[in-house]
Amino acid sequence: MRRWLLCLLFALPGFAAAHSASTAYLRIDSNERGVELQWRIALRDLDALLDLDADGDGRLTWGEVLDRAADIDALARARLAPQATNGRCDIRFAAPRFARIDDFGFAQLAGRADCAPRALDYRLFDGIDPSHRVLVSIAGEDRPRVLAPGASIALRGAGTDGPRGFAAFVTEGITHIAGGFDHVLFLIGLMLPAVLRRERGRWVARDDLRGAAVAVVWIATAFTAAHSLTLAAASFGWVRISARIIEPLIAATVLATALNNLWPVVTRRLALAAFGFGLIHGFGFAEVLAPLALPRVELALALAGFNLGVEIGQLAIVATSFTLLAALRRWPGYPRWVLVPGSALLALAAGVWIVERVFNLALFAV
């Protein structure tokens, strides 16, 4: 167990540096004369790939981005490759332009190819970040596609393609919860004391696992209901809160959960607390759907699929965590070697996230 704790300690910088799942946006207009596209890539993703922050001060300026325009162009050409039927087919990109989506900076690349490729190979983050996704809107199609690195975007009914419509957003929801370390660690923080109970100021193993499972179900249901409400509200534009506020608040929910494990204050009505925290996490989930500006019917379909995917991923995390922790609950060292150090590591990671997100810093470079 001590070896595992050391492994977790050395893994902390990776957890602390993790941010919400990486998403790019690609719009394509293809015809027999050629293809025109608009590709929006998050500046934080470009910085991760090209190290654009020249002075290393942790603050990326647009001037630093433009200074590396040639490198960005080379990256774009290499990571979005046309599949031509005959001969060579290259995409020419204009200089990047700044775009803002939900308080995050993006480089907007306009591209054109005077050929009619049958497909585009999407390779951004291929072999680097499997959780990255690109949301593809093709002129003439009602529903966007969601593709992972290494996938191919069929333009004229040829080649391979990713899932579309409802199935695509189910997949995206699963990927988003799996790649969002802050959401995952929040759920794990809730699970750590779920197989224990407080007795005379001490943690003791629960004899009634059924009761523990019921409590976990109530907590998960409350969290689900809450983030579903704010996910819908933000996606439809009814309520918008800046990501610069929401992202630190999500980290704060992880910190509060971890500290409550260490110094229990809230020991009853945990489902109510999970509901309150879930409202905050829902705004974080909405960063994927809100920028698409889909028609209401299509947005409702995308919202339902994405939310179902999030719940599938969440259920897998909760079920796996509960099963493992239930097997360990009677070990006398569980409170000392699992609950306490696990919660302390979560609190430390959350504290780092808060500092990074409030002051726009990168305390752990990866």
Side-chain angles (χ1 to χ4, degrees):
M1 182 58 65
R2 290 186 179 91
R3 293 191 187 99
W4 280 106
L5 291 175
L6 285 173
C7 290
L8 285 173
L9 183 61
F10 284 115
L12 177 62
F15 285 128
H19 52 66
S20 54
S22 166
T23 305
Y25 303 90
L26 180 63
R27 178 167 181 80
I28 302 173
D29 188 354
S30 177
N31 53 52
E32 63 277 1
R33 296 186 301 275
V35 60
E36 294 184 357
L37 56 89
Q38 182 186 89
W39 190 9
R40 291 182 175 181
I41 308 173
L43 292 180
R44 61 183 179 180
D45 289 341
L46 285 176
D47 186 37
L49 292 169
L50 297 175
D51 193 17
L52 302 178
D53 186 11
D55 56 13
D57 65 351
R59 298 179 182 274
L60 183 62
T61 66
W62 187 242
E64 289 174 323
V65 175
L66 291 181
D67 287 342
R68 300 285 299 280
D71 294 325
I72 294 173
D73 180 76
L75 177 73
R77 287 170 176 265
R79 298 296 183 260
L80 193 62
Q83 293 182 11
T85 304
N86 296 308
R88 184 179 177 84
C89 183
D90 290 323
I91 297 178
R92 299 184 303 278
F93 288 96
R97 298 179 61 184
F98 180 76
R100 184 178 294 277
I101 299 177
D102 195 22
D103 283 345
F104 287 106
F106 282 72
Q108 180 173 297
L109 304 176
R112 177 175 179 80
D114 294 324
C115 60
R118 58 187 177 86
L120 296 173
D121 291 333
Y122 188 80
R123 301 170 182 163
L124 190 67
F125 282 110
D126 190 16
I128 300 174
D129 182 4
S131 71
H132 173 76
R133 290 296 182 270
V134 58
L135 274 64
V136 184
S137 300
I138 298 181
E141 293 188 2
D142 294 332
R143 299 175 181 176
R145 313 181 193 182
V146 182
L147 284 90
S152 181
I153 307 165
L155 299 180
R156 295 184 295 164
T160 60
D161 203 356
R164 305 187 192 185
F166 186 82
F169 284 101
V170 172
T171 302
E172 175 62 15
I174 295 172
T175 302
H176 192 80
I177 187 70
F181 289 103
D182 41 12
H183 304 299
V184 171
L185 294 187
F186 172 74
L187 290 172
I188 292 176
L190 290 175
M191 292 298 101
L192 283 174
V195 294
L196 305 176
R197 59 184 173 83
R198 294 289 288 179
E199 185 177 285
R200 298 178 181 178
R202 298 174 58 245
W203 289 108
V204 296
R206 277 181 177 264
D207 294 323
D208 181 17
L209 269 186
R210 181 178 179 182
V214 170
V216 166
V217 168
W218 275 111
I219 290 172
T221 301
F223 182 66
T224 294
H227 73 61
S228 297
L229 288 175
T230 48
L231 172 58
S235 298
F236 281 106
W238 300 331
V239 180
R240 296 299 298 273
I241 301 178
S242 169
R244 298 193 181 280
I245 297 175
I246 290 300
E247 290 296 324
L249 283 179
I250 290 175
T253 66
V254 180
L255 178 61
T257 301
L259 292 180
N260 192 64
N261 291 345
L262 296 172
W263 297 283
V265 175
V266 180
T267 57
R268 301 177 61 188
R269 298 181 180 178
L270 292 178
L272 185 60
F275 184 88
F277 288 160
L279 294 174
I280 297 172
H281 283 252
F283 286 111
F285 292 138
E287 69 176 17
V288 174
L289 299 182
L292 290 179
L294 297 172
R296 285 188 174 270
V297 174
E298 295 298 327
L299 179 57
L301 180 67
L303 183 64
F306 183 79
N307 203 47
L308 177 59
V310 168
E311 300 324 315
I312 292 172
Q314 177 180 300
L315 179 61
I317 294 168
V318 170
T320 302
S321 301
F322 185 79
T323 301
L324 176 62
L325 298 179
L328 291 174
R329 77 188 191 283
R330 294 192 182 281
W331 177 45
Y334 182 94
R336 180 179 180 183
W337 294 109
V338 178
L339 177 63
V340 171
S343 298
L345 287 174
L346 292 184
L348 183 56
V352 172
W353 279 332
I354 291 172
V355 173
E356 287 187 331
R357 295 173 184 186
V358 169
F359 298 103
N360 193 26
L361 299 174
L363 300 182
F364 292 96
V366 293

